[in-house]
Amino acid sequence: MPRSLILVDVPLASFIEELFAPDCRSGPWSLLEEGTMESLQEVAGLFLYGHPIIDGPFMDRLPNLKVISNFGVGIDHVDLAAAAARGIAVGNTPGAVEGATADLTMALLLASARNLVAGDRFARGPNFRYYDPSLFLGREVHGSTLGIVGLGNIGREVARRARGFDMRILYHSRHRKPEAESELGVEYASLRELLEQAHFVTLNVPMTPETRHLIGEEQLAWMRPDGILINVARGGVVDHEALYRVLADKRIAGAAIDVTEPEPLPRDHPLLRLTNLVITPHLGSAGSRTRLRMARMTVDNIRAGLQGMPLPYAVKQF
Ligand code: 8YV
C-alpha cells in the first residue's frame, strides 16, 4: 500500500521523520504552490509546526485531506468550524507542553529580573576587569509580586513554580477560580489591579479574538514603572507598537518575550534593538522530553485520522 502523503510546513526533525515510517511520507509545503492537481489530491494530512493559517479555502485545495495534526497545543491558526464542516479531524498535543512552557516562563522572568543576558555579554567582553558591586542591579524575584494573566494549565504550572520563589501571586482570568485560589494560594485581581500591582506580569492566555491586543497602550500604562512583562502565549496578545514605545521610553523596566507577531519578526524590527527586551525564538516547549512526547502525539493523531478513527488527542470541534 502506498504511504500517505502528509504536507509539513517546516522540514521534519529526524526524530519525527522516523516516527512517520512506515505509514506516511512527508511532502514539502511548497507543493501547495508548485504541485499539480494530482499531487494535491494525494495529500491526506497536514503536519503543522509554525502556525500557518489553515482556513476553509486552504482546505478546499486539498480534496482528500483527512487530518490536520498540530505540533503544539495552541490551535488559533486553524479554522476548526471549517474543518468540522468538511469532515477533517484536527488534533493537537494537550498536556504535553505545559510544564516546559512554565519552566521557560520562569527562565524569562529570572533572566530579565537579574540582567542575565546583558550580564553574560558583559562577562565575556573587554570591560569586565574588576568587580563593581553596583553593576547590573536587578530586582529580587523572591518576595516580589507576580501577576498571571490566564490561569489555565500553563498559568497554574507557573503559579506552582512561583510559590517556590516565595512570590505573592495574583491572577486574572475570565472567571474566578476558587479551587485554584485555595490549592495554589493565588489571589484574584482585575486586569487593571494586577497590572498596577505586579512586579512581573506573565501572559498565559490562548490566542482568541478576545485576547488579541489584550495588552495595548492603555494596559501597559497601568503597569508599574519597575514592572516586567513576560509573554510566552502568542505574539498577538500584545500590541507590539505599544510595547516598543513603552520600552523605548523606559515607562516599564523591561519585557521578556518568547513569541511575536509575525514570527519571526523582520530582522530590522525596532523591538530587536532594545536592550531592555529579552527575546527567545519560541522555545516554550523546546525541551527534549517534551518535544518527543509532542512528536508521538502528533504522529498518533495522523495515523488515527488516516484510518478514519477518532483522534487520541482531538481538538474539540463543536
Ligand atoms: C509549540 C506552542 O512549540 O503548544 C503551543 O501552542 O506554542 C509551542 O509549544 C509550537 O506550537 C510549535 O510551533
Side-chain angles (χ1 to χ4, degrees):
M1 207 176 101
R3 293 189 297 158
S4 300
L5 178 60
I6 311 296
L7 282 196
V8 298
D9 68 324
V10 171
L12 287 179
S14 55
F15 71 97
I16 308 176
E17 189 82 62
E18 281 162 25
L19 297 174
F20 260 51
D23 309 358
C24 314
R25 64 200 158 98
S26 63
W29 210 245
S30 55
L31 210 70
L32 290 162
E33 303 308 326
E34 297 153 12
T36 57
M37 287 285 274
E38 289 73 47
S39 58
L40 292 182
Q41 277 174 3
E42 276 184 64
V43 176
L46 297 178
F47 181 104
L48 307 180
Y49 180 82
H51 314 155
I53 305 287
I54 310 296
D55 54 14
F58 183 105
M59 296 172 199
D60 288 339
R61 298 181 57 207
L62 304 170
N64 295 315
L65 185 61
K66 291 194 178 75
V67 55
I68 299 173
S69 186
N70 189 62
F71 188 84
V73 77
I75 197 83
D76 45 283
H77 47 294
V78 178
D79 184 337
L80 298 177
R86 289 161 180 78
I88 300 167
V90 183
N92 66 347
T93 63
V97 307
E98 289 76 358
T101 308
D103 290 349
L104 189 84
T105 306
M106 296 310 287
L108 288 175
L109 187 157
L110 288 159
S112 80
R114 299 300 304 275
N115 297 304
L116 216 74
V117 176
D120 174 280
R121 287 202 194 107
F122 180 79
R124 295 166 195 268
N127 297 330
F128 185 35
R129 295 181 182 280
Y130 58 90
Y131 183 69
D132 177 345
S134 65
L135 270 181
F136 295 113
L137 296 184
R139 158 166 291 283
E140 287 78 1
V141 172
H142 69 275
S144 292
T145 298
L146 172 66
I148 302 177
V149 180
L151 200 66
N153 294 337
I154 298 175
R156 285 169 195 245
E157 289 295 324
V158 172
R160 288 199 180 93
R161 285 153 180 73
R163 288 185 69 170
F165 279 88
D166 291 330
M167 302 182 89
R168 175 183 174 219
I169 308 169
L170 305 177
Y171 78 98
H172 177 74
S173 63
R174 274 178 308 166
H175 308 291
R176 209 172 155 157
K177 303 190 170 171
E179 95 297 343
E181 290 176 23
S182 45
E183 189 205 324
L184 301 167
V186 296
E187 302 163 45
Y188 180 81
S190 69
L191 183 60
R192 181 166 186 158
E193 286 165 345
L194 181 150
L195 292 169
E196 284 175 348
Q197 291 179 38
H199 301 104
F200 302 96
V201 175
T202 97
L203 304 177
N204 299 107
V205 286
M207 183 77 232
T208 64
E210 292 76 42
T211 60
R212 167 156 294 279
H213 288 189
L214 180 69
I215 304 297
E217 192 82 52
E218 186 183 8
Q219 293 71 26
L220 290 164
W222 293 338
M223 284 183 69
R224 302 167 54 104
D226 59 353
I228 291 176
L229 180 73
I230 296 131
N231 188 9
V232 294
R234 284 289 180 267
V237 176
V238 178
D239 175 346
H240 286 18
E241 285 180 20
L243 180 65
Y244 173 77
R245 282 194 295 275
V246 92
L247 287 172
D249 299 348
K250 303 209 166 39
R251 281 184 273 141
I252 64 172
I257 60 176
D258 187 44
V259 287
T260 57
E261 188 179 79
E263 201 168 279
L265 287 176
R267 297 298 81 197
D268 59 353
H269 194 285
L271 271 174
L272 301 180
R273 295 200 298 270
L274 295 174
T275 52
N276 52 357
L277 177 86
V278 172
I279 182 164
T280 46
H282 202 134
L283 296 181
S285 62
S288 42
R289 268 187 289 132
T290 303
R291 285 281 161 93
L292 185 56
R293 194 161 163 222
M294 292 166 78
R296 290 203 172 115
M297 293 168 89
T298 321
V299 171
D300 286 351
N301 275 336
I302 287 186
R303 290 223 169 91
L306 293 178
Q307 291 165 17
M309 308 280 285
L311 306 195
Y313 314 104
V315 177
K316 245 219 246 62
Q317 285 176 271
F318 314 104

